[in-house]
Amino acid sequence: MKNIKDYDLKELKEELTNIGEKPFRAEQIFKWLYQEKVKTFDEMTNLSLDLREKLKQNYTMCNFNILKKQKSKDGTIKYLFDVLDTNAIETVLMSYHHGYSICLSSQIGCKMGCKFCASTGINFERNLTSGEIVEQILAVEQDTGIRISNVVFMGIGEPLDNYENVVNAIHIINNQKGLNIGARHISVSTSGLVPKIYQLAEENIQCTLSISLHATNNEKRSSMMPVNQAYPIETLMQACKDYMEKTHRRISFEYALAKESNDHLADAKELVKLLKGMLCHVNLIPINKIENGSFSKSSNESIMKFRDYLNDHGIVATIRRELGSDIEAACGQLRRKNLKK
Ligand code: SAH
C-alpha cells in the first residue's frame, strides 16, 4: 500500500483526482496530517465516511513506533524508530534557547564512507521515502507535544544521495498547509555531491546548504572523505560559489576538528584562503570519537584558537555545542548497530 505521507500537496491533489475525488480534499487531508497530527483516517471527520474508507483501503499512514528513547543530561532526546519493515532509524531532538531542532535521518545506512563517522558502514540498506522522513518530525511532535522549529538533515545518510525524496520531504515540511516550517529553518548537510548541489540550486527552495568540508587540501580531505576523490575541493568550492550566486544564500561550512590532524593554525590559514570573499559561516565541530575510529577530539584550546583565527581574518565561525554525546546522539555518533530490529 502507498504511504499517504509520501505525497507533497501538489501530488496528493493529482492522486485524489485520479481516484475520482476533488483536489481540495488534499488540503483537508494535509491539515489533518500535519496540523492536527492525527494518526488514523477515522479522525478526519470533515471527510465523508466513504472517502475515509477509500483512503483506508488504499493508503497507509506509516505511523512509526518508538523502539527506544534515550534522554541526555543536556535534554537532548534520541529516538530509535521502527520504520515498519525490518529496519530502524535514529532521530535526535535538541533544545536550544530559540526552540527545538530535529536532526533527521535520510537513509538507512550511508554509502559515503567518511572515516570519522559511525553512520557509515558496509551495508547500505535503502533510501527513506519522503513520508518516512516527514514521519520522524510527526512522531517526535506527537510523543512530546512540542512544536519543532528547526530541521537539520544531519542524521544518518547523505541527503543529496536521496535527492528526490529529500526535496519532496522539504516541500511537505515547508508548505504552509503542511508542517509550515520556514525554509530558512531547514538545513541540508552534504558531504559534497557536486552535481546535486547544482540541482538543488535550481529548486528555488530557500533552505540552508551546509557543506561538510573538514579539510582544506585534497590529500587530507580524501583521506577523511572518499567522496573527495570524485569531487575534489576545487570542484566543490566552485559549486558552492555558483550555488551562492544563483540563490543568494549564505553557505554554512562544517569543519570537524580532529586532534593533530586538521586543527593546526596552518589549517586555519588555508581555510581562510579557501573561503576568502565567500558569503559563508563556519561551524566548528569538536570531533566526536567513534568506536574503532582513528580520530580524536582537539583540545578546547586548539578549538578556540582555530575559531579566533578565523574570526580575526574575516570568516564568521562558531563552535557547535556538543549535545547528546552521553547517549551517542552527537554528530557522527548515530550508527548502524541499531538499524536492524
Ligand atoms: N551526510 C551528510 C549529513 C550527515 S552528518 C554530511 O556528510 O554532511 C552531519 C555532520 O556531522 C557532517 O558535517 C559530518 O561530517 C559530521 N560528523 C560526522 N561524524 C562526526 C564526528 N565523529 N564528529 C563530529 N562531526 C561528525
Side-chain angles (χ1 to χ4, degrees), residues 37 69 79 93 100 137-148:
K37 304 181 210 300
K69 181 176 167 185
Y79 289 90
L93 176 70
Y100 288 96
I137 305 179
L138 287 173
V140 169
E141 289 193 337
Q142 283 158 347
D143 180 57
T144 56
I146 58 142
R147 159 112 174 107
I148 286 163

Side-chain angles (χ1 to χ4, degrees), residues 133-202:
I133 294 171
V134 169
E135 175 62 18
Q136 295 172 64
I137 305 179
L138 287 173
V140 169
E141 289 193 337
Q142 283 158 347
D143 180 57
T144 56
I146 58 142
R147 159 112 174 107
I148 286 163
S149 50
N150 284 280
V151 174
V152 298
F153 282 87
M154 296 189 186
I156 297 171
E158 165 52 53
L160 297 190
D161 185 40
N162 181 15
Y163 186 87
E164 305 261 309
N165 293 346
V166 165
V167 166
N168 211 38
I170 294 175
H171 287 148
I172 301 169
I173 295 167
N174 182 223
N175 195 303
Q176 283 185 346
K177 297 190 165 121
L179 284 164
N180 192 21
I181 298 176
R184 287 187 162 73
H185 298 272
I186 304 171
S187 292
V188 175
S189 179
T190 180
S191 56
L193 294 180
V194 165
K196 301 292 176 189
I197 295 174
Y198 281 101
Q199 210 175 329
L200 191 65
E202 300 295 329

Side-chain angles (χ1 to χ4, degrees), residues 132-273:
E132 289 169 331
I133 294 171
V134 169
E135 175 62 18
Q136 295 172 64
I137 305 179
L138 287 173
V140 169
E141 289 193 337
Q142 283 158 347
D143 180 57
T144 56
I146 58 142
R147 159 112 174 107
I148 286 163
S149 50
N150 284 280
V151 174
V152 298
F153 282 87
M154 296 189 186
I156 297 171
E158 165 52 53
L160 297 190
D161 185 40
N162 181 15
Y163 186 87
E164 305 261 309
N165 293 346
V166 165
V167 166
N168 211 38
I170 294 175
H171 287 148
I172 301 169
I173 295 167
N174 182 223
N175 195 303
Q176 283 185 346
K177 297 190 165 121
L179 284 164
N180 192 21
I181 298 176
R184 287 187 162 73
H185 298 272
I186 304 171
S187 292
V188 175
S189 179
T190 180
S191 56
L193 294 180
V194 165
K196 301 292 176 189
I197 295 174
Y198 281 101
Q199 210 175 329
L200 191 65
E202 300 295 329
E203 295 285 348
N204 200 20
I205 304 177
Q206 295 293 304
C207 63
T208 300
L209 180 64
S210 291
I211 305 285
S212 295
L213 189 60
H214 307 321
T216 51
N217 62 63
N218 285 324
E219 196 189 339
K220 212 176 265 189
R221 193 165 189 270
S222 293
S223 74
M224 300 170 84
M225 307 174 70
V227 66
N228 194 67
Q229 284 157 24
Y231 306 111
I233 292 184
E234 306 73 48
T235 319
L236 176 61
M237 295 314 286
Q238 190 55 51
C240 291
K241 286 176 186 155
D242 293 342
Y243 181 90
M244 279 187 245
E245 194 163 313
K246 174 92 196 168
T247 63
H248 307 291
R249 301 279 300 141
R250 176 198 289 244
I251 286 189
S252 172
F253 288 96
E254 292 158 286
Y255 193 101
L257 287 156
K259 193 182 210 147
E260 300 294 318
S261 165
N262 62 356
D263 65 344
H264 303 105
L265 272 190
D267 294 296
K269 257 184 212 168
E270 274 189 23
L271 189 56
V272 168
K273 254 196 232 154

